C-alpha cells in the first residue's frame, strides 16, 4: 500500500466485509494496532467503521466491539439490521451499509487526498469513480486469497490500488492460535448469532 505522510486520509471500513476477509485468511483484526498503523503513516483525518446492529432487547455480541471503537478513535456509523432464517434453518443478520459508506465518502472527498476503503463489494465501483473524479486517490483493501475471493473484479479495476489484506495483515492482526495478551485484539463477532457452534473455545 502506498501511504504518503502528507496526504489527508480517511478509512472507510465495512465491518462485516473486513470481518469476512480476515476470518477467511485466518486472522483476527487488532483495531488498536490498525489505528496506530495508519495514524503513524499519514495525516489520518477520520476512521469510519460501519456496522448493522439488531434492534432487539437481547444482548448483541457486536456491542462490546462497537462500544470500544466509539471510545477509541473510530467514528462509528450504525443502522438497524434485520434478522431472518435461511434455508438451512440458521439465524442470519442482514444489514447493508452501502449507502452510508458511499454518502460519507462523497461528503468527505473535498477534504481528502486519499480514501482507503475496506470492502470487496463491486457495488462501490460507481462511488469510487465519483470520488476519484473529485481528485481523491482510492485504495481498496480486501482479499483474493480467501476462498472464495472476496473482491469484485469491477471494484478492483476501478481502484487506484488494490491491496490484499493478507499483504498488510501482520501490521494489525494476530492469528487466533497465538496466546492472548493483556490488551487482546477486539474481534468482530457479527455472525456469532447465526453460528453459535463456531465460537472460540478459549
Amino acid at each position: 500500500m502506498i501511504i504518503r505522510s502528507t496526504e489527508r486520509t480517511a478509512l472507510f471500513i465495512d465491518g462485516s466485509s473486513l470481518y469476512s476477509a480476515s476470518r477467511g485468511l485466518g486472522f483476527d483484526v487488532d483495531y488498536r494496532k490498525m489505528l496506530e498503523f495508519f495514524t503513524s503513516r499519514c495525516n489520518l483525518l477520520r476512521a469510519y467503521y460501519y456496522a448493522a446492529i439488531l434492534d432487539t432487547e437481547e444482548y448483541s455480541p457486536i456491542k462490546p466491539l462497537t462500544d470500544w471503537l466509539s471510545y477509541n478513535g473510530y467514528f462509528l456509523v450504525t443502522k438497524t439490521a434485520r434478522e431472518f432464517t435461511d434455508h438451512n434453518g440458521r439465524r442470519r443478520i442482514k444489514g447493508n451499509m452501502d449507502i452510508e459508506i458511499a454518502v460519507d465518502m462523497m461528503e468527505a472527498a473535498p477534504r481528502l487526498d486519499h480514501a482507503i476503503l475496506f470492502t470487496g463489494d463491486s457495488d462501490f465501483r460507481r462511488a469510487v469513480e465519483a470520488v476519484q473524479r473529485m481528485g481523491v486517490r482510492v485504495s481498496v483493501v480486501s482479499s483474493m486469497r480467501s476462498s472464495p475471493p472476496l473482491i469484485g473484479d469491477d471494484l478492483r479495476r476501478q481502484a487506484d490500488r488494490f491491496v490484499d489484506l493478507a499483504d498488510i495483515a501482520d501490521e494489525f492482526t494476530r492469528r487466533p492460535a497465538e496466546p492472548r495478551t493483556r490488551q487482546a485484539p477486539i474481534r468482530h463477532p457479527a455472525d456469532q448469532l447465526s453460528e453459535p457452534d463456531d465460537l472460540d473455545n478459549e
Side-chain angles (χ1 to χ4, degrees), residues 149-170:
L150 295 174
I151 178 71
D153 287 340
D154 290 346
L155 180 61
R156 184 162 57 92
R157 285 193 292 264
Q158 185 65 49
D160 292 286
R161 181 170 292 269
F162 166 69
V163 180
D164 200 295
L165 180 63
D167 291 334
I168 58 174
D170 288 344

Side-chain angles (χ1 to χ4, degrees), residues 102-169:
V103 168
D104 286 346
M105 286 182 66
M106 292 292 293
E107 288 184 345
R111 302 181 299 277
L112 293 180
D113 301 306
H114 188 193
I116 302 175
L117 176 62
F118 285 79
T119 191
D121 190 344
S122 283
D123 288 346
F124 285 103
R125 189 206 67 78
R126 188 70 176 85
V128 168
E129 181 184 25
V131 169
Q132 288 170 327
R133 286 204 306 267
M134 299 170 73
V136 179
R137 186 165 66 91
V138 180
S139 297
V140 171
V141 182
S142 187
S143 182
M144 293 187 64
R145 301 184 195 176
S146 57
S147 181
L150 295 174
I151 178 71
D153 287 340
D154 290 346
L155 180 61
R156 184 162 57 92
R157 285 193 292 264
Q158 185 65 49
D160 292 286
R161 181 170 292 269
F162 166 69
V163 180
D164 200 295
L165 180 63
D167 291 334
I168 58 174

Side-chain angles (χ1 to χ4, degrees), residues 16-17 19-20 51-56 58-63 79-86 89-97 188-196:
S16 62
S17 181
Y19 175 66
S20 296
I53 301 175
L54 278 174
D55 186 19
T56 67
E58 298 179 5
Y59 171 77
S60 171
I62 197 176
K63 195 164 190 320
K79 70 184 291 186
T80 301
R82 180 175 63 85
E83 185 177 5
F84 67 98
T85 303
D86 67 13
R90 285 180 165 178
R91 294 171 65 197
R92 294 291 185 184
I93 300 171
K94 182 177 180 62
N96 191 307
M97 300 294 294
H188 191 301
D191 68 348
Q192 290 182 356
L193 285 177
S194 59
E195 297 179 313

Side-chain angles (χ1 to χ4, degrees), residues 8-74:
R8 298 168 299 171
T9 303
L11 309 182
F12 299 88
I13 303 169
D14 182 341
S16 62
S17 181
L18 176 57
Y19 175 66
S20 296
S22 61
R23 189 182 188 204
L25 294 168
F27 296 108
D28 288 339
V29 175
D30 185 327
Y31 289 95
R32 189 190 311 275
K33 286 184 178 179
M34 173 183 281
L35 200 61
E36 291 172 353
F37 173 78
F38 288 105
T39 300
S40 66
R41 287 166 173 78
C42 64
N43 178 14
L44 186 65
L45 300 185
R46 182 158 287 178
Y48 294 89
Y49 184 94
Y50 300 84
I53 301 175
L54 278 174
D55 186 19
T56 67
E57 294 181 0
E58 298 179 5
Y59 171 77
S60 171
I62 197 176
K63 195 164 190 320
L65 171 65
T66 54
D67 285 349
W68 186 93
L69 292 171
S70 65
Y71 284 106
N72 287 275
Y74 288 85

